[in-house]
């Protein structure tokens, strides 16, 4: 027999930690007690050495889903309990509880699913069943502290049964703020239709209709995934040309009938079943029964599993996979307010499956892609936000990072925590901008942040920049776009540099006023120098060249190659490109280089969403091809991207397959990146490389580059928790602002730490 005291720190209050400890200790036959105090959770234990050992292992491995343990301290004591062999939960000292962090919204847990399916349970088939381990969180919180009256559940008074569970420390609904049941909670309805809403909704889908479904962070639009005309009609009504729709499947078996779930990375199933329930991009099976209009021409499908009880019930009622795409028209943010949804989706949906629990905060689905045995996040939103990142440095003052323009997010920094907002979208219309400004205020109130330092992107035209510069009584700090990318990769990995940073993206405002995007930086969190870049190329027609990749092909070939198909398709224009390029803005963007090759190969002349040409070029590539096009690198590390385009054009003329050309181009880019890293390592001694920017969401390019760099002895940092694209910029800005503020407040004394 022995006794120990255990202290657990982190996000451990309000997440079912005490009932979990109670159950674990009781199962192991341990005596003692557990309670909350100002530091987190304390446990006192008495029992056999083996049982205590197992307790300590399971405490961390089996912790409740919403808990996030930062530290466990164990001390031994001779006599701890006078519990008479029992284990109990003790009342908290109200003054001793710490501020509870709001957790992300979490998919329905196994216990709640069992109740949902049990005819004897009082929550049988109840679409809003939840407990302390699952259910809505961030999206229903109106204000802090996180208590029911300050959530959108305030209007639902608990019945006697729910109240009893809520107050029973041994119950898994102990202090579950959104607790409810058929007697006291929200009600499902199929708007304007009598009878069972789920049966009615399933009929709408089976008849080829478009169904709006109210979810956790907003409305979705659904059609049967196998129904070609319904999917095409949804595309037409949404005015969405090509961007793929996500598909929800009932379970992993159904996922395996549509996609290669257990492929090379072998983590497809784990990513799908993750409690954040993201959309997971997986290789589509040729025989998958999914309409062509769901993801036109795609080799990948975005799949997700049900994450609310309503989804589970709907999928069962329909008995087949459904398209589940954000409820919005093209370029608008997802609708979440009931009246607004009716207004905006009324012309798109044939019926509304809805309920009376309001959504307070909009949150789209998150998107991940398997990469080298783990998930690489492409869009971070529902299920992840607002779980904080830990900054490499403590921020002396509160910070706001305003993000960029496309795929925008904002981030609040406080102490060592950085809270990144859910994905907001492109800040180009009033609706999105309003959502951005309101979101900042809401987050600031939730996390008790009053920004004194505001970090922003120096691009003069970004609405986020204008927002930053309009804020009264704050200190502003400009963080160059690609420095922010590398900083976000550092923060994503808990590092502070100095590193070789490779930032490849669409476009970002450079220090010289031109548009950058193929950058080699030497960077830490405070500052950077531009050590190399792709050779700048004119963008004929300015921003038109972004929407029309064929213009970049002409620019890279300087009007040569009149016999190429792409030149023939734009004959008159092609001939005069050299004069059009005079005075055009120049860019070193890697994204535009990918665009040029995509247009050259006939993949895409014009795009309907950002990054489309590069995404389709990646999809085209033959992964078995290992040859690489060469590109010259000058002494001052300027890379001749045009060499790659010209080599591709020569192969095309020689009759080489476009799939092979695409692969050789990808390999060529990765080879020249590695060559530049070699040069920089020789010059500086730095051997860590951070890869960031939206171009590195290309798994073929990223994989080949990581392989080559690792093979050459580099340590490589890539993104995992925050997107490599502009969705990660706000975190990078906060990390930089925190490091600069720390330098400012501690002066020379600690500046050595940055060199
Ligand atoms: Zn649950
Ligand atoms: Zn109830």
């Amino acid at each position: 027999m022995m006794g120990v005291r255990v202290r657990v720190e982190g996000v451990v209050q309000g997440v079912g930690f005490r009932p979990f400890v109670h159950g674990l200790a009781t199962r192991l036959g341990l005596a003692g007690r557990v309670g909350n105090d100002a530091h987190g959770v304390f446990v006192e234990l008495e029992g056999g050495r083996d049982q205590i050992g197992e307790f300590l292992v399971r405490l961390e491995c089996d912790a409740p889903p919403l808990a996030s343990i930062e530290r466990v301290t164990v001390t031994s004591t001779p006599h701890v309990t006078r519990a008479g062999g029992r284990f109990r939960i003790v009342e908290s000292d109200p003054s001793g509880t710490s501020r509870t962090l709001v957790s992300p919204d979490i998919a329905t847990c196994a216990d709640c699913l069992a109740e949902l399916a049990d005819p004897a349970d009082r929550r049988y088939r109840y679409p809003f069943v939840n407990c302390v381990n699952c259910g809505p969180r961030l999206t229903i919180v109106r204000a802090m502290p996180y208590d029911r009256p300050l959530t959108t559940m305030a209007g639902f008074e608990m019945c006697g049964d729910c109240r009893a569970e809520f107050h029973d420390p041994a119950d898994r609904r102990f202090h579950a703020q959104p607790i409810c049941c058929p007697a006291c909670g929200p009600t499902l309805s199929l708007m304007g239709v009598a009878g069972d809403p789920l049966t009615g909704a399933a009929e709408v889908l089976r008849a080829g209709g478009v169904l709006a479904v109210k979810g956790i962070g907003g409305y979705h639009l659904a059609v049967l995934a196998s129904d070609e005309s319904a999917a095409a009609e949804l595309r037409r009504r949404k005015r969405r040309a090509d961007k793929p729709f996500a598909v929800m499947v009932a379970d992993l078996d159904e996922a395996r009938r549509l996609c290669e779930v257990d492929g090379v990375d072998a983590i497809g199933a784990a990513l799908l079943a993750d409690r954040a329930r993201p959309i997971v991009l997986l290789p589509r099976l040729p025989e998958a029964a999914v309409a062509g209009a769901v993801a036109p021409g795609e080799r990948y499908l975005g799949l997700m599993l049900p994450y609310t009880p309503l989804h589970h019930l709907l999928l069962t009622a329909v008995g087949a996979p459904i398209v589940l795409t954000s409820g919005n028209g093209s370029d608008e943010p997802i609708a979440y307010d009931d009246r607004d949804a009716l207004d905006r989706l009324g012309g798109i949906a044939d019926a509304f499956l809805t309920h009376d629990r309001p959504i307070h905060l909009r949150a789209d689905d998150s998107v991940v892609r398997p990469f080298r045995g783990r998930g690489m996040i492409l869009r971070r939103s529902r299920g992840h936000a607002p779980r904080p990142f830990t900054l490499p440095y403590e921020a002396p003052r509160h910070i706001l990072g305003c993000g960029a323009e496309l795929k925008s997010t904002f981030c609040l920094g406080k102490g060592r925590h950085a809270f990144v907002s859910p994905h907001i979208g492109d800040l180009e219309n009033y609706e999105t901008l309003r959502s951005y400004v309101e979101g900042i205020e809401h987050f600031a109130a939730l996390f008790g942040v009053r920004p004194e330092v505001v970090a922003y992107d120096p691009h003069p035209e970004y609405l986020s920049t204008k927002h930053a510069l309009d804020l009264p009584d704050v200190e502003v700090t400009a963080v160059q776009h690609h420095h922010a990318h590398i900083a976000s990769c550092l923060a994503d990995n808990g590092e502070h540099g100095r590193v070789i940073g490779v930032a490849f993206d669409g476009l970002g405002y450079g220090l010289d006023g031109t548009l950058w995007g193929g950058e080699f930086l030497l960077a830490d969190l405070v500052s950077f120098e531009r050590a190399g870049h792709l050779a700048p190329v004119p963008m004929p027609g300015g921003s038109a060249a972004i929407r029309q990749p064929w213009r970049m092909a002409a620019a890279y070939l300087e009007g040569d190659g009149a016999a190429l198909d792409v030149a023939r398709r734009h004959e008159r224009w092609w001939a005069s490109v050299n004069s059009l390029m005079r005075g055009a803005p120049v860019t070193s963007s890697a994204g535009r280089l990918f665009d040029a090759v995509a247009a050259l190969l006939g993949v895409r002349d014009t795009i309907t969403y950002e990054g489309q040409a590069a995404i389709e070029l990646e999809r085209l590539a033959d992964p078995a091809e290992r040859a690489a096009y060469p590109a010259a690198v000058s002494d001052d590390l300027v890379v001749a991207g045009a060499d790659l385009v010209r080599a591709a054009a020569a192969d095309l003329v020689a009759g080489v397959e476009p799939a092979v050309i695409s692969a050789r181009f990808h390999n060529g880019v990765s080879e020249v990146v590695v060559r530049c890293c070699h040069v920089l390592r020789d010059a500086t001694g730095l051997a860590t490389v951070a890869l960031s920017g939206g171009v590195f969401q290309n798994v073929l390019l990223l994989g080949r580059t990581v392989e080559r760099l690792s093979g050459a002895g580099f340590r490589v940092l890539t993104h995992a928790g925050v997107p490599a694209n502009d969705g990660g910029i706000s975190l990078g800005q906060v990390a930089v602002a925190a490091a600069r503020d720390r330098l400012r407040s501690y002066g020379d004394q600690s500046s050595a730490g940055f060199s």
Side-chain angles (χ1 to χ4, degrees):
M1 292 289 280
M2 65 180 288
V4 294
R5 276 179 210 279
V6 185
R7 161 149 307 292
V8 191
E9 291 165 89
V11 182
V12 289
Q13 296 184 0
V15 292
F17 212 85
R18 287 171 296 166
F20 155 69
V21 169
H22 179 269
L24 177 59
T26 308
R27 253 195 334 277
L28 293 169
L30 294 164
R33 52 194 210 133
V34 59
N36 282 345
D37 65 15
H39 307 285
V41 164
F42 68 88
V43 190
E44 295 172 355
L45 282 177
E46 200 169 66
R49 180 173 299 272
D50 290 353
Q51 285 75 23
I52 287 180
E54 183 166 354
F55 176 93
L56 292 173
V57 170
R58 299 214 167 274
L59 182 73
E60 293 198 55
C61 299
D62 302 347
L66 302 188
S68 169
I69 297 177
E70 282 169 7
R71 189 158 50 172
V72 176
T73 330
V74 184
T75 46
S76 66
T77 50
H79 304 291
V80 281
T81 70
R82 292 153 293 279
R86 289 195 314 123
F87 193 91
R88 54 198 185 90
I89 297 177
V90 293
E91 279 300 312
S92 317
D93 171 2
S95 66
T97 50
S98 66
R99 191 185 178 94
T100 307
L101 291 175
V102 188
S103 105
D105 305 287
I106 294 299
T108 311
C109 73
D111 290 336
C112 286
L113 276 184
E115 291 176 348
L116 191 69
D118 177 5
D121 195 276
R122 69 192 187 90
R123 294 186 177 89
Y124 175 55
R125 290 180 58 80
Y126 181 56
F128 306 97
V129 53
N130 68 76
C131 71
V132 81
N133 297 323
C134 74
R137 293 292 187 277
L138 175 67
T139 53
I140 60 165
V141 177
R142 287 201 163 106
M144 287 303 273
Y146 172 56
D147 280 327
R148 189 179 181 97
L150 295 178
T151 70
T152 63
M153 285 299 292
F156 301 94
E157 198 186 333
M158 276 184 241
C159 67
D161 288 342
C162 285
R163 183 167 297 120
E165 291 168 343
F166 186 86
H167 291 292
D168 175 3
D171 194 281
R172 75 171 211 283
R173 294 194 168 89
F174 180 55
H175 287 188
Q177 305 298 340
I179 185 176
C180 59
C181 74
C184 66
T187 313
L188 187 68
S189 66
L190 187 63
M191 207 177 281
V193 181
D196 176 47
L198 285 162
T199 311
E203 274 166 18
V204 169
L205 291 170
R206 277 196 294 262
V210 176
L211 179 73
V213 186
K214 186 172 177 181
I216 286 281
Y219 278 79
H220 282 107
L221 292 164
V223 294
L224 271 195
S226 59
D227 188 332
E228 193 66 66
S229 68
E233 180 62 15
L234 174 58
R235 225 168 244 296
R236 194 186 64 73
R237 292 188 198 169
K238 256 189 84 132
R239 300 192 312 278
R240 178 146 142 173
D242 306 299
K243 204 170 179 183
F245 292 145
V247 173
M248 181 174 272
V249 290
D251 50 33
L252 287 173
D253 286 342
E254 204 163 78
R256 290 187 174 103
R257 287 196 283 275
L258 302 186
C259 287
E260 220 178 281
V261 172
D262 312 293
V264 255
D265 285 299
I267 51 151
L271 294 177
L272 282 167
D274 183 277
R275 57 192 170 236
R277 286 292 193 282
I279 296 169
V280 184
L281 298 190
L282 293 166
R284 170 188 193 149
L285 295 175
E287 68 273 22
V290 170
V294 170
E298 274 286 340
R299 282 214 314 232
Y300 290 82
L301 275 180
L303 294 190
M304 63 179 150
L305 295 182
Y307 53 84
T308 68
L310 174 56
H311 291 148
H312 284 281
L313 294 169
L314 181 62
L315 268 284
T316 307
V318 176
I322 57 173
V323 162
L324 207 60
T325 183
S326 307
N328 52 11
S330 123
D331 297 332
E332 293 169 357
I334 186 169
Y336 70 105
D337 175 80
D338 294 324
R339 251 215 322 260
D340 177 53
L342 257 185
D343 269 6
R344 284 163 55 203
L345 307 181
I348 302 179
D350 298 305
F352 280 75
L353 185 62
T354 185
H355 57 76
D356 52 354
R357 184 182 67 207
I359 298 171
H360 186 70
L361 184 78
R362 160 192 285 138
D364 279 278
D365 296 314
S366 293
V367 183
V368 304
R369 190 171 186 181
F371 177 69
R372 292 171 78 93
R374 63 177 184 168
M376 175 171 83
I377 204 150
L378 305 184
R379 179 165 80 192
R380 184 178 186 272
S381 203
R382 176 193 50 75
H384 291 287
R387 188 176 296 118
F389 288 88
T390 303
L391 291 171
Y393 296 125
E394 172 147 349
R397 289 181 288 175
H398 293 184
I399 302 170
L400 165 65
C402 289
E405 175 95 339
L406 298 175
K407 302 179 168 65
S408 87
T409 59
F410 61 83
C411 176
L412 293 173
K414 178 186 182 184
R416 288 197 71 179
H417 282 154
F419 303 94
V420 179
S421 73
H423 162 87
I424 292 169
D426 301 348
L427 287 185
E428 55 191 9
N429 63 44
Y430 173 74
E431 194 43 33
T432 323
L433 183 66
R434 201 182 60 157
S435 159
Y436 170 83
V437 173
E438 287 173 359
I440 292 174
E441 281 166 21
H442 182 55
F443 259 52
L446 287 191
F447 302 111
V449 178
R450 304 178 68 150
E452 294 171 87
V453 179
V454 174
Y456 68 99
D457 191 302
H459 194 304
E461 295 307 317
Y462 282 179
L463 292 177
S464 62
T465 304
K466 293 175 180 170
H467 178 76
L469 298 177
D470 280 349
L471 289 172
D473 307 323
V474 294
E475 184 179 310
V476 293
T477 183
V479 183
Q480 195 276 331
H481 191 87
H482 302 97
H483 184 209
H485 270 309
I486 298 306
S488 81
C489 186
L490 291 175
D492 200 351
N493 288 279
E495 308 234 348
H496 52 79
R498 190 168 179 239
V499 295
I500 299 168
V502 186
F504 275 20
D505 71 350
L507 295 170
Y509 195 73
L511 292 184
D512 57 4
T514 71
L515 295 166
W516 293 5
E519 309 306 309
F520 295 88
L521 311 180
L522 299 173
D524 60 23
L525 287 183
V526 174
S527 60
F528 77 100
E529 64 183 280
R530 190 189 199 198
H533 54 88
L534 288 181
V537 173
M539 290 167 60
S543 58
I546 299 172
R547 292 187 302 275
Q548 301 176 352
W550 61 269
R551 289 173 184 252
M552 291 312 300
Y556 263 108
L557 293 169
E558 297 176 53
D560 291 351
L564 293 164
D565 281 345
V566 65
R568 288 215 197 101
R569 288 196 297 270
H570 308 278
E571 202 171 358
R572 274 194 11 228
W573 192 91
W574 197 275
S576 57
V577 68
N578 281 314
S579 62
L580 286 167
M581 289 201 296
R582 274 193 289 277
V586 299
T587 183
S588 55
S589 161
R592 298 293 85 80
L593 173 63
F594 275 75
D595 281 359
V597 175
L600 175 71
L601 298 187
V603 169
R604 189 150 287 277
D605 277 354
T606 58
I607 58 167
T608 62
Y609 62 92
E610 201 220 353
Q612 184 179 10
I615 289 168
E616 294 178 2
L617 183 64
E618 173 191 357
R619 190 166 70 206
L620 172 70
D622 174 1
E625 175 64 30
R626 304 305 290 202
Y629 297 134
V633 178
S634 72
D635 289 343
D636 51 352
L637 226 62
V638 176
V639 177
D643 290 357
L644 301 172
V645 183
R646 286 182 181 277
D651 262 0
L652 192 64
V653 169
V656 177
E657 283 294 315
V660 172
I661 299 177
S662 172
R664 288 177 180 170
F665 167 72
H666 278 84
N667 296 339
V669 173
S670 99
E671 233 177 62
V672 79
V673 163
V674 176
R675 237 167 77 215
C676 291
C677 290
H678 271 288
V679 172
L680 291 171
R681 179 168 65 182
D682 292 347
T684 63
L686 295 173
T688 301
V689 179
L691 302 174
S692 189
V695 169
F696 282 113
Q697 294 193 154
N698 177 325
V699 160
L700 178 63
L701 175 71
L702 184 63
R704 296 270 151 102
T705 308
V706 170
E707 236 168 67
R708 283 182 166 89
L709 284 170
S710 308
F714 287 95
R715 195 166 73 93
V716 189
L717 306 178
T718 60
H719 282 274
V722 76
N725 67 26
D726 285 5
I729 288 278
S730 65
L731 175 65
Q733 290 170 339
V734 164
V736 169
R740 286 179 183 164
D741 201 30
R742 182 175 180 269
L743 193 59
R744 180 201 61 87
S745 58
Y746 301 125
D748 290 339
Q749 201 181 342
S750 65
S751 65
F754 294 111
S755 58

